[in-house]
């Protein structure tokens, strides 16, 4: 979208940057240009009807979607020119969401984008006294404890008394599980090594099977399956693995293999859906073997 002029009304809230009545967008710096475009989109008389209709709540799903799209691009980024362009564009899409929220708050006289940037800058300086002040920590553990103490003070200022109080409900389930486990671990509620976690996984699996065998209600079985997933995410945390990223990677791998299965079936003139499970499994194993072939060849190649 090309917008040459951003028009601002004469009556502004104290939070709106001072600009002329008619500001040429093209002469502004990149961030000010983006803010001017956002203001024009939200203009009550000449803006975009869709953008004007949005509230802080209605754009949250779009913000989450943009964050997931950025994560996907980063996971697939191999440093190519096309990857660089896509990464830049997705970062821009996410930045736009921040600018959008800041503009809505600015119109309500609450804060603006400068206040947002100032607040996060202040927080980063406050939480890194070992970088921006003369504080020294004897170990990583001491530095982590100081970080957590600062966050605890922030929760107390917001009248939040539990370590679980500010864990976002909108986080993906696996990420939220790990975050709650880390919070508990910082207060000492954690196993010292992964072995007991593995035993817990087996225990939870047995409870799922028991619920199934006894014909328990679907809600009860779902609860037991949730316990398994929680335990597995805890194991991943102990192993230093991000379960959300690991599952995302495994899903991408499955999708690639399934596409390969479809291609193999099509090459033989057989729709994949027309094959029975045994034949499909054979194709899956073939796709898996071909996927690993480059690795196998590199392992056996003469290093000279």
């Amino acid at each position: 979208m090309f917008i040459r002029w951003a028009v601002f009304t004469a009556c502004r809230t104290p939070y709106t940057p001072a600009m002329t009545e008619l500001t040429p967008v093209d002469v502004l710096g990149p961030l000010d240009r983006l803010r001017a475009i956002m203001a024009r989109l939200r203009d009550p008389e000449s803006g975009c009807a869709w953008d004007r209709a949005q509230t802080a709540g209605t754009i949250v799903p779009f913000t989450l979607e943009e964050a997931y799209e950025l994560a996907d691009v980063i996971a697939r980024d191999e440093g190519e020119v096309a990857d660089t362009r896509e990464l830049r564009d997705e970062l821009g899409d996410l930045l736009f969401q921040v600018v959008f929220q800041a503009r809505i708050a600015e119109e309500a006289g609450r804060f603006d984008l400068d206040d947002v940037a100032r607040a996060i800058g202040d927080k980063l300086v406050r939480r890194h006294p070992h970088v921006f002040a003369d504080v020294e920590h004897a170990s990583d553990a001491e530095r982590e404890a100081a970080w957590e103490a600062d966050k605890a003070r922030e929760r107390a200022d917001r009248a939040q008394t539990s370590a679980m109080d500010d864990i976002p409900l909108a986080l993906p389930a696996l990420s939220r599980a790990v975050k709650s486990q880390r919070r508990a671990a910082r207060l000492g509620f954690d196993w010292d090594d992964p072995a007991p976690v593995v035993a817990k996984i087996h225990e939870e699996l047995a409870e799922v099977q028991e619920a199934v065998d006894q014909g328990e209600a679907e809600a009860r079985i779902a609860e037991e399956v949730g316990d398994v997933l929680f335990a597995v995410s805890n194991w991943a945390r102990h192993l230093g693995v991000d379960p959300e990223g690991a599952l995302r990677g495994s899903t991408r791998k499955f999708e690639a293999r399934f596409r390969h299965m479809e291609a193999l079936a099509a090459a033989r003139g057989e729709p994949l859906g027309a094959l029975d499970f045994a034949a499909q499994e054979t194709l899956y194993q073939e796709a898996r073997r071909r996927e690993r072939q480059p690795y196998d060849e590199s392992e056996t190649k003469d290093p000279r």
Side-chain angles (χ1 to χ4, degrees):
M1 180 187 297
F2 179 78
I3 303 173
R4 183 167 182 79
W5 302 100
V7 179
F8 299 88
T9 59
C11 181
R12 303 184 180 90
T13 70
Y15 299 92
T16 305
M19 293 185 178
T20 60
E21 194 70 21
L22 195 61
T23 303
V25 173
D26 293 350
V27 303
L28 299 173
L31 287 178
D32 282 336
R33 177 173 179 263
L34 180 58
R35 295 172 72 175
I37 291 172
M38 186 71 254
R40 175 58 189 269
L41 290 172
R42 292 276 297 179
D43 187 277
E45 295 181 0
S46 58
C48 170
W50 186 89
D51 290 280
R52 292 200 312 266
Q54 300 313 303
T55 66
T58 62
I59 63 174
V60 166
F62 301 103
T63 306
L64 294 174
E65 181 179 338
E66 296 298 350
Y68 292 141
E69 289 181 3
L70 174 60
D72 182 63
V73 168
I74 291 173
R76 293 185 286 103
D77 189 354
E78 297 181 351
E80 302 296 334
V81 173
D83 295 335
T84 299
R85 183 169 57 252
E86 192 174 8
L87 176 59
R88 178 204 63 197
D89 291 348
E90 291 299 339
L91 283 167
D93 289 343
L94 190 57
L95 175 61
F96 176 71
Q97 297 295 313
V98 176
V99 173
F100 206 149
Q101 287 282 6
R103 179 63 196 181
I104 292 173
E106 182 178 352
E107 292 168 358
R110 302 178 68 188
F111 55 81
D112 67 1
L113 190 61
D114 287 339
D115 295 316
V116 173
R118 188 178 300 110
I120 186 58
D122 291 346
K123 180 188 290 187
L124 290 172
V125 170
R126 184 176 66 252
R127 288 188 176 177
H128 295 81
H130 53 292
V131 176
F132 299 103
D134 296 328
V135 175
E136 294 185 5
H137 297 299
S139 65
D140 289 343
E142 185 177 304
R143 184 175 63 250
E144 178 73 12
W147 174 282
E148 287 306 316
D150 188 74
K151 292 176 68 175
R153 283 191 293 271
E154 290 177 0
R155 286 195 292 272
D157 290 341
R158 297 193 295 267
Q160 295 172 333
T161 57
S162 172
M164 302 291 165
D165 277 347
D166 61 344
I167 299 177
L169 291 172
L171 277 177
L174 287 175
S175 296
R176 189 160 183 263
V178 170
K179 195 170 185 69
S180 66
Q181 291 158 5
R182 285 175 176 160
R183 290 283 181 87
R186 286 163 185 163
L187 295 179
F189 188 65
D190 196 14
W191 282 294
D192 293 331
D193 61 78
V197 189
V198 177
K200 186 66 176 175
I201 292 172
H202 288 295
E203 176 187 325
E204 299 295 354
L205 284 169
E207 291 183 5
V208 173
Q209 191 59 57
E210 181 181 354
V212 172
D213 292 343
Q214 293 181 355
E216 296 279 3
E218 183 178 336
R220 173 65 176 168
I221 295 174
E223 180 183 342
E224 296 297 347
V225 170
D227 290 344
V228 172
L229 295 173
F230 189 86
V232 170
S233 68
N234 201 14
W235 189 26
R237 179 179 64 87
H238 273 269
L239 296 175
V241 173
D242 169 29
E244 196 75 39
L247 181 57
R248 192 178 296 115
S250 291
T251 302
R252 284 198 306 271
K253 181 168 61 178
F254 174 79
E255 290 169 350
R257 288 176 180 173
F258 196 84
R259 290 190 183 97
H260 201 162
M261 288 170 60
E262 292 173 319
L264 289 172
R268 300 173 187 179
E270 299 174 308
L272 186 63
L275 302 178
D276 61 22
F277 178 76
Q280 290 180 346
E281 175 65 16
T282 298
L283 290 180
Y284 183 82
Q285 293 302 328
E286 174 65 12
R288 186 168 179 267
R289 185 187 66 78
R290 294 192 183 191
E291 177 190 83
R292 291 189 54 82
Q293 199 166 14
Y295 300 100
D296 295 339
E297 291 175 354
S298 65
E299 291 171 1
T300 57
K301 191 178 296 183
D302 188 334
R304 295 172 295 178

